[in-house]
Amino acid sequence: MRRRAALVFAFALALAACAPTAELRGTGDLGVVIERTAGSVLVVETTHRSVLGRVPGLGDLSHASVVFSRDGRYAYVFGRDGGLSKVDLLTTSVVERIVQSGNAIGGAISQDGRLIAAANYTPGGIRIFDSETLQPLSEVPSTYGDGTRRAKVVGIADAPGNRFVFSLFEAGEIWIVDASDPRNPRVTKLLGVGRQPYDGFITPNGRYYVAGLYGEDGLALVDLWHPEQGVRKILSGYGRGEKPLPVYKMPHLRGWAVAGRLAFLPAIGRHEVLVVDMDTWREAGRVKVHGQPVFAVAQPGGRRLWVNFAFPDNGVVQIVDVPSLEVIRDLRPGRAVLHLEFTPRGEQVWVSSRDDNVVVIYDTETIGELARIPATHPSGIFFTARALMTGF
Amino acid sequence: MIFPRLVVAATGLALASTALAGEPEGARRAELVNMVRQDCGACHGYTLKGGLGPSLLPGALAERDVQLIESVILNGRPGTPMPPWRPFLSEAEARWIAEQLKKGWPE
């Protein structure tokens, strides 16, 4: 008995010691910053622009992506090494962690929030997990051609109806997986979508899936209301027959900009952002930019576009004025800018500089610097507002 | 035509002297070590065990000779995402990278 009393006492002390962090709080202003070489994430908040804690032990995050539970409390972190970690932002700790493949590229969370799908390079395919426990539910191998090989899965996105949509790099296919019965997913395959799809994204309304093609100058478009109509090639021949410039880093399409009826897409091998009218899916303009674009993100509200670039031009961020389609500012936040993320209403943008070990925060109105947060080789920045958006 | 030839000859000499001197040194060496992990790593993974591009670990490159690796690095592989690095690397540096990759890339 005495032993137990002592334990209880110790526990109470421990609780008292953590009391300040146990304060009740919401998660709407939280987020994570990936520290790619350290295998950790920083849990951050955007109201006071501070770090709440560091969560280590997440494996190889040299390519990492994050989705959030629908309540904005948990971050699911997908690592390069197939690691899938469920991080509690409130306690800044790992609550579940599995290694689900040998080499992964990212993942998605289902419309109802119950399923996590991880997209894998080796072995190629997707695996579906219970978002509560990370227990495996099913697997869809990306077998193609004569059935002996598996393609690398790229560009996974969640679509309405608990569907996951993704592309097969080597196969040139887009697959739509209906996971409404998660132990028996049903696959619809769209073949011959174009050469070497390298990434994809879904429009904010969840209707259109777009895959970027490395092997040809055009993109593949699927209307998810009418998958039976197959794939439509858009912006074909945007290279106008000119020899493409070398691409030192693949653009990332998730989070690519949509502003009003315009979508902004990266050209491959051209230092241009392509503008497409989503009513007709025809070209509506182009913006000449500083290098090979990697991310172009629309400031919430859609008035401006912020663009970063591949090596060797990755020290620059350009701001494009959407109405005039002109570059209005060049910023130099630091060496090797890997990502940028806006707060939900767009008053701040956080920009990571890998080689300067810093996240630089800008006021989007004045374009002045607000703060700097030290981080070890920071890459992706993800705020919880993504929990509420299709395709994030 | 004479002028470009002269330049080529001069570069040749410069390269030969780096090759004789052995590996890149000091800041440049550190820069290359970082570049391969970070920028090659964008496609081959920071640990070089593969991503969109294949593994560049010694086991994976065992069958490839240094010359071939050097040439892929300098010229890329047309038709694949492997880009040419000639604008950023001398031939001696590409050879050094190829040799180090076969041995296991330094931290």
Side-chain angles (χ1 to χ4, degrees):
Chain A
M1 265 328 260
R2 196 175 289 163
R3 184 95 163 272
R4 166 139 344 141
L7 266 183
V8 169
F9 181 65
F11 184 59
L13 265 184
L15 269 187
C18 346
T21 53
E23 228 170 75
L24 287 177
R25 69 158 300 147
T27 60
D29 59 349
L30 300 186
V32 298
V33 175
I34 305 288
E35 296 187 303
R36 67 192 298 270
T37 53
S40 51
V41 299
L42 296 179
V43 177
V44 295
E45 58 84 34
T46 59
T47 304
H48 310 94
R49 300 185 279 275
S50 70
V51 176
L52 300 183
R54 171 179 271 120
V55 182
L58 306 183
D60 178 358
L61 298 186
S62 60
H63 188 286
S65 77
V66 173
V67 299
F68 292 98
S69 60
R70 59 198 270 123
D71 60 5
R73 175 166 180 179
Y74 299 101
Y76 297 89
V77 182
F78 303 90
R80 165 61 83 202
D81 55 359
L84 167 56
S85 311
K86 181 177 178 181
V87 173
D88 184 342
L89 302 181
L90 293 178
T91 61
T92 58
S93 61
V94 179
V95 290
E96 299 289 346
R97 176 170 160 80
I98 57 174
V99 176
Q100 56 83 33
S101 79
N103 197 321
I105 184 68
I109 185 162
S110 61
Q111 182 180 35
D112 67 5
R114 292 196 187 159
L115 309 174
I116 299 290
N120 294 317
Y121 279 176
T122 14
I126 70 165
R127 299 191 70 197
I128 298 175
F129 301 90
D130 181 323
S131 63
E132 189 77 36
T133 59
L134 299 190
Q135 286 303 308
L137 298 173
S138 54
E139 180 176 8
V140 180
S142 52
T143 313
Y144 71 102
D146 63 8
T148 58
R149 279 172 302 169
R150 289 180 172 203
K152 295 186 191 79
V153 170
V154 297
I156 190 166
D158 57 292
N162 281 335
R163 289 179 296 173
F164 296 108
V165 189
F166 52 85
S167 303
L168 279 61
F169 177 74
E170 293 86 345
E173 298 178 10
I174 293 174
W175 290 13
I176 303 166
V177 169
D178 179 343
S180 38
D181 176 2
R183 289 184 187 278
N184 298 291
R186 283 182 309 149
V187 185
T188 305
K189 301 178 184 179
L190 304 175
L191 310 183
V193 307
R195 290 189 53 216
Q196 297 164 320
Y198 66 87
D199 201 6
F201 78 105
I202 194 162
T203 51
N205 60 7
R207 176 166 179 184
Y208 296 101
Y209 177 82
V210 180
L213 301 174
Y214 180 82
E216 54 189 280
D217 43 358
L219 295 94
L221 174 75
V222 182
D223 180 348
L224 295 169
W225 291 5
H226 297 289
E228 74 285 354
Q229 292 175 358
V231 167
R232 179 173 150 199
K233 208 64 73 62
I234 58 168
L235 303 181
S236 271
Y238 65 71
R240 299 170 173 150
E242 292 163 27
K243 193 170 182 291
L245 300 165
V247 176
Y248 292 96
K249 179 173 176 160
M250 288 292 172
H252 285 54
L253 292 177
R254 182 185 283 198
W256 262 73
V258 168
R261 58 193 264 194
L262 301 179
F264 298 85
L265 303 167
I268 280 279
R270 297 178 71 86
H271 296 175
E272 287 176 343
V273 170
L274 307 171
V275 187
V276 60
D277 179 333
M278 291 190 293
D279 286 348
T280 59
W281 290 100
R282 290 184 195 286
E283 184 173 327
R286 289 178 185 216
V287 190
K288 276 230 166 315
V289 288
H290 174 71
Q292 169 66 55
V294 175
F295 283 100
V297 190
Q299 199 168 311
R303 180 162 181 197
R304 287 174 183 159
L305 201 67
W306 293 53
V307 189
N308 78 331
F309 302 101
F311 176 92
D313 297 312
N314 54 8
V316 171
V317 169
Q318 286 190 314
I319 306 175
V320 176
D321 175 58
V322 168
S324 65
L325 294 184
E326 271 173 26
V327 173
I328 54 168
R329 279 291 279 277
D330 280 18
L331 298 177
R332 293 178 192 276
R335 290 172 299 157
V337 171
L338 294 189
H339 195 214
L340 39 133
E341 176 93 336
F342 290 92
T343 47
R345 296 194 186 195
E347 84 288 352
Q348 304 167 36
V349 61
W350 292 39
V351 182
S352 57
S353 159
R354 181 192 69 202
D355 289 353
D356 283 327
N357 294 300
V358 70
V359 173
V360 184
I361 306 171
Y362 292 94
D363 178 322
T364 53
E365 201 55 41
T366 62
I367 316 187
E369 209 181 295
L370 286 173
R372 292 181 161 242
I373 292 186
T376 309
H377 294 148
S379 53
I381 305 172
F382 304 87
F383 294 153
T384 52
R386 289 171 177 252
L388 310 178
M389 298 193 282
T390 296
F392 285 86
Chain B
M1 262 343 262
I2 285 171
F3 183 59
R5 268 223 202 110
L6 273 177
V7 174
V8 170
T11 335
L13 273 180
L15 288 182
S17 65
T18 352
L20 277 183
E23 41 193 66
E25 280 166 16
R28 181 59 179 163
R29 183 182 190 279
E31 202 179 335
L32 292 179
V33 167
N34 188 52
M35 186 186 107
V36 168
R37 288 224 178 264
Q38 303 282 8
D39 297 307
C40 307
C43 291
H44 294 279
Y46 181 79
T47 59
L48 303 175
K49 73 168 197 186
L52 189 68
S55 166
L56 299 180
L57 295 176
L61 294 177
E63 308 278 281
R64 307 267 191 269
D65 58 50
V66 169
Q67 232 166 338
L68 175 115
I69 300 172
E70 177 193 330
S71 145
V72 176
I73 295 173
L74 289 171
N75 305 316
R77 278 236 178 97
T80 81
M82 175 63 190
W85 291 82
R86 200 179 282 282
F88 311 106
L89 297 172
S90 69
E91 291 183 1
E93 287 170 344
R95 167 161 296 246
W96 179 77
I97 291 172
E99 286 165 357
Q100 298 306 307
L101 284 172
K102 279 186 75 81
K103 286 191 217 152
W105 193 253
E107 281 305 317

